[in-house]
Amino acid sequence: MSDKTASQTPATAARRTGPRQAEVTRLLPRPLLVVILVALCALVIIPVAYIVFASVNSDVDVARGHFFPSQFTWENYATIWTTVGLGRGIANSLIVAGSTAVVSAVVATATAYALVRFTFLGRVTILRGLLAVQSLPSTLMVLPVFVLFSSASTFLGVTVIGTRWGLFLTYLTFALPFSTWVMVTYLRGLPRGLEEAAQIDGASHLRTLVSIILPLSWPGMIVSAIFAFLLGWNDVLYASVLTNNDTQTAALALQTFGAAQERGLLPLYGQMMAASLISAAPVVVLYLVFQRHLVGGLTTGGVK
């Protein structure tokens, strides 16, 4: 009996000291921690709730400052497809941002594999160059990009401005440095033993990359792809310069619609909020679907 009591004593002591240890390591008192968490949640939830309620409210009630709608109406969600041109904008954004995300993740993985696993002249210079390109402000490159694409149309006879693939090339240029750095950091955490075992079995570097590296790099690739997707989805600056009415993105459609409402006597607040929610829906769905991989790619590197 004494042996049983002795064997249970450490576990019992650990359970008793667990809450005490948590109280000691907590930075803030429990009441203050609860207040801060509630305040932070309110800062996030209240604006989103206001947008949701305003999207099903009348423009007059929104202009009067009513938070809750007196009468729910779904008319705003039905009319934005013609007034805002949201359907075409979302389709263009999905095509451009989606292709940018996929190509950026694949190219960044291959580039990072070469930078991490091989030693060659200029390797460190390339890494530093990627970091330097990433630090350049995007507004600084608008004019050079526009002049370059205009010159391609003039001297080569290739129309770039006003096309989806011209916008795709622009987003890919700015997404690749960050995506490559993400994959470089991730691939450094992968063990070399798996690649060496594959090469001993006769696998080439390309076969090792396709069969070993890519299956293990999904979390990092998803992180780089999501950030590249957000770059193309949220951009307004380059979309306003490099697109036309047929190729404008959802962000540009919202910006144009919001600017047009400033001249009216009563802005269409309900339609603006409804269009904003619909435009944000693909990004929210993307995070919900790849949440597990996104967290793994940001917090860990490689496999255990």
Side-chain angles (χ1 to χ4, degrees):
M1 184 66 181
S2 59
D3 296 338
K4 182 177 181 180
T5 304
S7 62
Q8 291 179 353
T9 300
T12 305
R15 286 195 298 267
R16 291 179 178 177
T17 58
R20 295 180 181 178
Q21 184 68 24
E23 292 290 340
V24 172
T25 58
R26 183 180 292 119
L27 297 178
L28 298 175
R30 182 180 294 273
L32 182 58
L33 182 62
V34 172
V35 171
I36 293 177
L37 291 178
V38 171
L40 292 176
C41 293
L43 288 176
V44 176
I45 295 175
I46 291 177
V48 176
Y50 177 79
I51 295 175
V52 173
F53 288 140
S55 66
V56 294
N57 199 357
S58 63
D59 298 326
V60 177
D61 288 343
V62 177
R64 290 175 179 174
H66 294 174
F67 186 83
F68 294 99
S70 58
Q71 184 179 0
F72 289 89
T73 175
W74 302 99
E75 183 180 358
N76 296 323
Y77 288 92
T79 56
I80 57 176
W81 305 103
T82 56
T83 56
V84 184
L86 195 60
R88 180 175 55 192
I90 289 179
N92 292 330
S93 293
L94 288 175
I95 293 173
V96 176
S99 57
T100 302
V102 174
V103 175
S104 176
V106 174
V107 175
T109 303
T111 305
Y113 178 73
L115 293 174
V116 171
R117 291 296 189 254
F118 299 97
T119 303
F120 52 89
L121 183 63
R123 171 177 169 272
V124 178
T125 304
I126 294 176
L127 290 173
R128 293 175 179 174
L130 291 174
L131 185 61
V133 171
Q134 183 65 29
S135 63
L136 291 176
S138 58
T139 55
L140 185 65
M141 303 300 296
V142 175
L143 184 59
V145 170
F146 182 81
V147 172
L148 178 63
F149 287 168
S150 298
S151 301
S153 177
T154 302
F155 296 102
L156 301 179
V158 179
T159 302
V160 182
I161 299 177
T163 60
R164 297 189 187 94
W165 69 271
L167 199 60
F168 159 76
L169 289 178
T170 304
Y171 293 156
L172 185 63
T173 302
F174 291 100
L176 271 178
F178 178 80
S179 298
T180 304
W181 263 108
V182 170
M183 294 310 303
V184 165
T185 304
Y186 190 86
L187 291 182
R188 282 175 177 172
L190 293 179
R192 292 177 176 267
L194 298 175
E195 303 172 43
E196 295 174 354
Q199 293 174 1
I200 291 175
D201 293 337
S204 61
H205 291 292
L206 180 61
R207 180 64 182 274
T208 303
L209 175 63
V210 174
S211 302
I212 304 298
I213 299 300
L214 289 182
L216 296 177
S217 302
W218 278 115
M221 294 179 65
I222 290 175
V223 170
S224 62
I226 288 179
F227 278 96
F229 183 87
L230 292 178
L231 173 67
W233 188 267
N234 297 328
D235 175 71
V236 176
L237 180 62
Y238 287 92
S240 62
V241 176
L242 302 177
T243 60
N244 53 29
N245 292 331
D246 296 329
T247 58
Q248 68 176 0
T249 60
L252 182 59
L254 286 176
Q255 192 271 341
T256 304
F257 181 74
Q261 299 306 308
E262 296 178 358
R263 305 173 185 176
L265 297 177
L266 182 61
L268 303 177
Y269 294 109
Q271 295 186 28
M272 293 174 60
M273 300 303 176
S276 300
L277 288 176
I278 293 178
S279 299
V283 179
V284 175
V285 172
L286 190 67
Y287 271 104
L288 292 177
V289 172
F290 296 106
Q291 180 181 8
R292 181 171 62 87
H293 298 284
L294 181 62
V295 173
L298 287 174
T299 57
T300 60
V303 294
K304 296 182 180 180

